[in-house]
Amino acid sequence: MEAKAIAKYQRVSPRKTRLVARNVQGLGVEDAMNLLRFTHNKPAGILFEVVKSALANADQQGNVDVDSLVVKEVMVNEGPCWKRFMPRAQGRATKIRKRTSHITVILSEGR
């Protein structure tokens, strides 16, 4: 049995989020949540909430042993960019891209 949760348009760079997601993949849910809880950066907090949501989705399915769930896959895709401009010297402007992420967490039974 699999459970899935998706968080779209999260205001964090996909590159930074993938660094944290790589550490969580393959761990048990309890270990993954402890790792994310004590990692001090923004993507870890967002990933913690998505894993918690996937765990709640698994609990709603009914016949799933929540203690045996494993983080099967964490996908971090790029969302739309907010485009801004910053004034620079001699009347020029520089483009700033504020990136967003779509984060998908899939939990499955295993161990």
Side-chain angles (χ1 to χ4, degrees), residues 14 33 38 40 45 49 54 63 65 68 77 85 92 94-95:
M33 290 180 80
F38 295 111
H40 296 291
E49 293 298 321
N63 57 356
D65 183 20
S68 69
N77 298 320
F85 289 96
R92 295 184 176 94
T94 303
K95 190 184 289 188

Side-chain angles (χ1 to χ4, degrees), residues 15 22-24 33 62 65 72-73 78 87-88 102 110:
R15 184 175 177 181
R22 204 176 303 141
N23 295 331
V24 172
M33 290 180 80
D65 183 20
K72 178 181 176 185
E73 191 174 0
E78 191 169 331
R88 304 302 284 192
H102 299 321

